[in-house]
Amino acid sequence: MTTLSYSPRHGLIRAVLRLHRVPLWVWTMMVIAGASGLVWLHQLGQEPALYGESCGATGLLQCATELRYGSTELRSAQLVAWLPCGIAACAGAALIGRELEHGTAALAWSQSVSPARWLAAKLAVPAVALLGGTAALTLMFRWVWVSGPDGGVNRWNSEYFHAAGSVGPVYVLLGLALGALAALLTRRTLPATGLALTGMALAYTLGDQARSSLWPASEVRGPWGPALNQVDQLEAGMITKSGEHVSGLACGDQAVPGDLAACLSNHGAVDFYAKVHPTSHYWPIQLVETGVVLTLATAVVAAAFWVLRRSLP
Amino acid sequence: MIEYRIDRRTGVATYLQIVQQTKQALRLGLLEPGDRLPTAREVVEATAINPNTVLKAYRELEREGLVEARRGQGTFVRKSLGAAAAQSPLAGELADWMRRARTGGLAREDVAALFNSALEREFTEGEQ
Amino acid sequence: MRYGRRRDPVLRDCSFRLPAGRICALIGPNGAGKSTLLALAAGMLRPTQGTVRALGASPAESRSRIGYAAQTRPLYPQLTVAATLRLGAELNPGRWDQEVAERVAFGTDLDPSARIRTLSGGQRTRVALALALGKRAELLLLDEPMADLDPVARHQLMGALLAVAVEHGTSVVMSSHVLAELEGACDHLLLLGRGQIRLAGDSEDVLTAHARLTGASPDFAPHTVVESGTTGRGHTALVRPQGPVDATTWLVEQPSMEELILAHLRNPGAPALFTGSASPAPSQEAAA
């Protein structure tokens, strides 16, 4: 009689790794492909001809390269920001939903693995893989973006905010958790995937909406300047003589453009103001949003365990 | 080692089939004192019958003093059955009688009927 | 081992005990609740009401000591047979018997490197049973274990199963809607009809607790009548004798197990029978 001994935890993890070998390979390949693409983009960004003034002055070739870089950078940002989240939502829904749909989850539970431990392992393995891959891509994108030519991109743009900050990887975790919860609720792969993707889109939209409120905004006075292109604008308007802030007042319809003093007095105002998040608020907001999303993901995971426990002893 | 053949359609209780086949083997000299009977595990693996049935049969054989269970070693034959009968003059006499019956024109069925009725008369107590 | 549960509508008021070390046949027509009962005992379902206890604890606590093969034979289609057994080894640390598992899974002609998705129904059954048996469980719950096996495999697997049981003192519960499939192998009977226990106990005790009476009178008192009818001018009934049976008025016969089961399933009004060891004793905790 032979007894093969494995330590319980490692055995389960190894089993999950072997079961999901193919998706893990596909994900690894995608990360490698993404990283190679970013390295290529970095080289494109390092071509000396790219820098601003040359465009237009020396001919169309360089200008085309710069345009190409700018749009590729935006596409990369969108891919890094959105794709891993979508993949995570689908992975959570498919890896768990398929097992419930085909009854193979019962195979693990009828061995010496409790349903809770099974779910923990089924979440931990893809979580580590997705988190690692996305973090690597995020770091690489940040490196490409920071070292590349300044195309005047606002760092607060949703794609860039996700692709180059700490919130990117945690949204991936949220996607995985939502997928798992949807799978446990529906016990079907396809509806769970739809539900998880919808939930993910909702979380994304809510995040974009609520981001500015995560940190107290600063107020700047004075007329519009180019520096304001690089900040997160919440509102802009004029300050009246009584000191009241009236949002939305602007000088766009001025008869004599540029005569700001006349514009101000026409509106009965004394100065312009704008509520913004300056660059110094970038990392605080990244970290606060990271914390919020992480808490949300934890709550969703807890809900998933609760749903599992409700149906099983 | 003896192999049991279990026939579920005979209506004979399974444990009795084991008891009878063991005795048959003892009578025919297929098993002799000191031989080991198959373990319950070996029997159920080969015949797919309930283990308790095997144990019940072995207990029955033990009760009749034919076998003994030796702790941790298995069940062993203690004494043989009817080996004497097969070699006694009675066997010869019966064979002789059969020959005469056949030459006298009796069919197989007639002989069986005569034999069975005599058997019934002499062993009415249902002795095993 | 003791189960007690109420569950609508699949199982209702099912309380019984199964003494340890028995090979139990769980018999019942399709839809009687056999699979539900086994899944509850294996900790795959939570009872809507009531409690289930297996091996003296809740099924969840006994999980590592219970082997279970579901009727649907869930297996990962992408794994090979060998990898599936390796999965069993990894998920049952310290309890796995590779030799038994291989003997059950491979049988005569199964290729270890074959993928599960390429296997026939019978071969899948072998692998599913190998996972349950390799676990070296104290209680085996097997849902329709012999259903899609050929006669040779059936005989061989039943033998292997009983050999494991006798070696480790394992209690086994096997379900089937065909008694003949299990009759020789089991010494304990559990008859389930419409979600309720109809008969429970040692096979022989259950059998000897019944008699078929044939006679002139339609009055079978004081015996409990399970099923009665007329034969020619006389009357016949399957009864549970209460006290001695008057052999001068009745022709007394011993019914077969098959007759007994059919009579109970045809007459749901007949009271359930629990012979000695099987009756649920609320005051007594399971000792399995």
Side-chain angles (χ1 to χ4, degrees):
Chain A
M1 191 180 305
T2 42
T3 305
L4 301 180
S5 60
Y6 294 97
S7 94
R9 188 164 304 130
H10 293 156
L12 180 56
I13 295 291
R14 245 202 315 270
V16 173
L17 281 173
R18 209 171 44 246
L19 280 175
H20 302 315
R21 200 173 353 186
V22 174
L24 281 169
W25 267 112
V26 171
W27 170 243
T28 311
M29 288 299 142
M30 287 176 77
V31 171
I32 290 174
S36 320
L38 287 170
V39 167
W40 171 82
L41 184 65
H42 173 74
Q43 295 208 314
L44 189 67
Q46 297 308 305
E47 281 180 24
L50 275 176
Y51 290 94
E53 311 81 56
S54 61
C55 185
T58 47
L60 283 171
L61 191 64
Q62 289 89 342
C63 208
T65 314
E66 180 173 353
L67 283 175
R68 191 151 67 106
Y69 175 81
S71 70
T72 314
E73 190 189 79
L74 178 62
R75 294 273 173 281
S76 311
Q78 286 169 341
L79 279 179
V80 173
W82 297 338
L83 203 58
C85 290
I87 289 174
C90 294
L95 295 185
I96 290 164
R98 237 167 63 113
E99 293 231 355
L100 295 171
E101 196 169 340
H102 297 292
T104 42
L107 169 65
W109 305 341
S110 69
Q111 302 302 308
S112 307
V113 179
S114 76
R117 265 188 55 212
W118 167 83
L119 181 59
K122 294 282 284 183
L123 284 175
V125 168
V128 168
L130 286 164
L131 196 63
T134 313
L137 288 178
T138 305
L139 282 173
M140 284 195 71
F141 179 80
R142 202 175 164 76
W143 164 66
V144 171
W145 177 47
V146 169
S147 64
D150 179 11
V153 173
N154 190 336
R155 72 180 70 234
W156 297 94
N157 284 350
S158 175
E159 297 92 336
Y160 280 80
F161 196 80
H162 279 101
S166 58
V167 296
V170 291
Y171 269 97
V172 168
L173 290 184
L174 179 64
L176 183 68
L178 282 172
L181 178 61
L184 285 162
L185 285 172
T186 61
R187 297 183 153 253
R188 293 271 178 283
T189 310
L190 217 58
T193 310
L195 209 61
L197 286 174
T198 313
M200 204 54 228
L202 196 70
Y204 237 82
T205 317
L206 284 176
D208 283 351
Q209 305 251 310
R211 187 162 301 134
S212 303
S213 332
L214 293 177
W215 199 258
S218 312
E219 188 178 296
V220 291
R221 300 273 169 103
W224 187 260
L228 287 182
N229 284 328
Q230 304 298 318
V231 301
D232 183 23
Q233 291 170 48
L234 307 183
E235 63 176 74
M238 298 180 187
I239 305 170
T240 62
K241 290 193 184 77
S242 58
E244 196 189 342
H245 288 56
V246 183
S247 171
L249 290 184
C251 297
D253 52 352
Q254 204 59 26
V256 186
D259 190 352
L260 295 177
C263 170
L264 277 177
S265 60
N266 281 348
H267 287 99
V270 293
D271 200 357
F272 298 94
Y273 84 94
K275 286 218 165 132
V276 299
H277 282 303
T279 304
S280 65
H281 290 185
Y282 182 81
W283 282 111
I285 287 184
Q286 278 275 3
L287 292 178
V288 170
E289 189 172 341
T290 301
V292 170
V293 175
L294 212 51
T295 312
L296 202 60
T298 313
V300 174
V301 168
F305 275 96
W306 180 78
V307 170
L308 184 71
R309 275 204 67 81
R310 207 186 44 170
S311 59
L312 287 165
Chain B
M1 182 105 32
I2 180 169
E3 277 185 22
Y4 298 107
R5 291 162 290 103
I6 305 302
D7 188 346
R8 300 222 166 78
R9 289 156 305 176
T10 56
V12 178
T14 313
Y15 90 95
L16 273 182
Q17 294 188 34
I18 294 180
V19 170
Q20 286 169 356
Q21 285 173 28
T22 312
K23 286 182 178 170
Q24 183 76 0
L26 288 170
R27 280 196 197 92
L28 296 174
L30 299 174
L31 281 176
E32 285 186 2
D35 286 355
R36 188 172 70 83
L37 293 186
T39 63
R41 185 192 185 287
E42 286 161 345
V43 177
V44 299
E45 187 156 20
T47 59
I49 60 168
N50 188 277
N52 290 329
T53 310
V54 184
L55 298 178
K56 188 173 173 183
Y58 281 16
R59 270 200 306 275
E60 179 66 26
L61 289 166
E62 203 178 341
R63 202 181 53 78
E64 292 181 25
L66 297 175
V67 302
E68 63 180 347
R70 289 186 207 149
R71 221 179 162 70
Q73 295 179 61
T75 307
F76 292 84
V77 175
R78 266 187 64 195
K79 63 179 194 191
S80 62
L81 250 187
Q87 283 143 30
S88 81
L90 287 169
E93 283 174 31
L94 184 60
D96 209 39
W97 180 86
M98 290 276 177
R99 209 173 302 117
R100 276 186 286 132
R102 193 165 59 144
T103 48
L106 288 185
R108 185 192 176 93
E109 289 74 21
D110 301 328
V111 173
L114 274 177
F115 180 83
N116 279 332
S117 77
L119 195 69
E120 284 299 310
R121 250 197 329 275
E122 290 303 320
F123 297 92
T124 39
E125 285 310 293
E127 203 178 310
Q128 294 292 330
Chain C
M1 195 174 45
R2 181 162 69 89
Y3 310 110
R5 81 192 50 68
R6 297 158 161 276
R7 186 186 162 92
D8 257 321
V10 184
L11 291 173
R12 264 168 296 121
D13 303 326
C14 289
S15 295
F16 65 94
R17 289 162 53 86
L18 177 62
R22 306 302 293 265
I23 316 288
C24 173
L26 175 59
I27 304 287
N30 296 321
K34 302 186 294 292
S35 295
T36 308
L37 184 68
L38 290 177
L40 278 167
M44 298 290 137
L45 290 175
R46 166 175 285 209
T48 42
Q49 271 182 311
T51 56
V52 187
R53 294 182 72 73
L55 298 170
S58 79
E61 287 162 337
S62 307
R63 191 178 299 282
S64 60
R65 296 151 64 206
I66 298 177
Y68 171 64
Q71 196 178 0
T72 50
R73 318 273 184 252
L75 294 169
Y76 292 102
Q78 73 268 34
L79 294 186
T80 62
V81 177
T84 304
L85 295 190
R86 205 174 143 210
L87 190 75
E90 286 174 344
L91 297 185
N92 294 292
R95 296 194 78 90
W96 186 252
D97 192 331
Q98 181 76 10
E99 197 185 294
V100 166
E102 282 179 3
R103 200 169 57 216
V104 173
F106 300 148
T108 45
D109 58 347
L110 191 51
D111 177 11
S113 62
R115 302 240 170 229
I116 298 289
R117 68 163 64 87
T118 66
L119 301 186
S120 72
Q123 290 170 322
R124 288 173 60 95
T125 296
R126 297 191 76 104
V127 179
L129 287 180
L131 278 178
L133 286 171
K135 193 177 170 182
R136 224 184 274 159
E138 290 161 50
L139 170 63
L140 279 170
L141 303 166
L142 309 175
D143 203 349
E144 301 269 1
M146 303 292 148
D148 40 17
L149 295 173
D150 62 66
V152 174
R154 193 172 283 196
H155 191 266
Q156 189 214 343
L157 271 185
M158 188 63 94
L161 166 66
L162 294 172
V164 170
V166 79
E167 203 167 313
H168 301 294
T170 318
S171 313
V172 184
V173 183
M174 285 182 268
S175 77
S176 176
H177 52 273
V178 191
L179 173 72
E181 221 169 73
L182 307 177
E183 199 171 13
C186 297
D187 53 14
H188 200 90
L189 175 77
L190 201 60
L191 178 65
L192 209 57
R194 302 190 192 178
Q196 287 184 305
I197 306 268
R198 307 305 320 285
L199 289 170
D202 184 279
S203 307
E204 271 181 47
D205 294 353
V206 170
L207 212 51
T208 52
H210 293 85
R212 174 167 294 285
L213 303 186
T214 310
S217 158
D219 179 22
F220 295 93
H223 312 304
T224 311
V225 176
V226 177
E227 185 180 57
S228 63
T230 55
T231 49
R233 291 159 183 273
H235 298 269
T236 179
L238 186 82
V239 301
R240 287 184 205 141
Q242 309 289 322
V245 177
D246 184 359
T248 53
T249 16
W250 306 109
L251 167 67
V252 186
E253 290 166 304
Q254 178 68 64
S256 74
M257 189 58 99
E258 195 82 53
E259 279 180 89
L260 210 61
I261 285 172
L262 284 173
H264 279 84
L265 291 178
R266 277 193 298 251
N267 299 277
L273 174 72
F274 296 86
T275 69
S277 52
S279 51
S283 59
Q284 199 181 333
E285 221 20 73

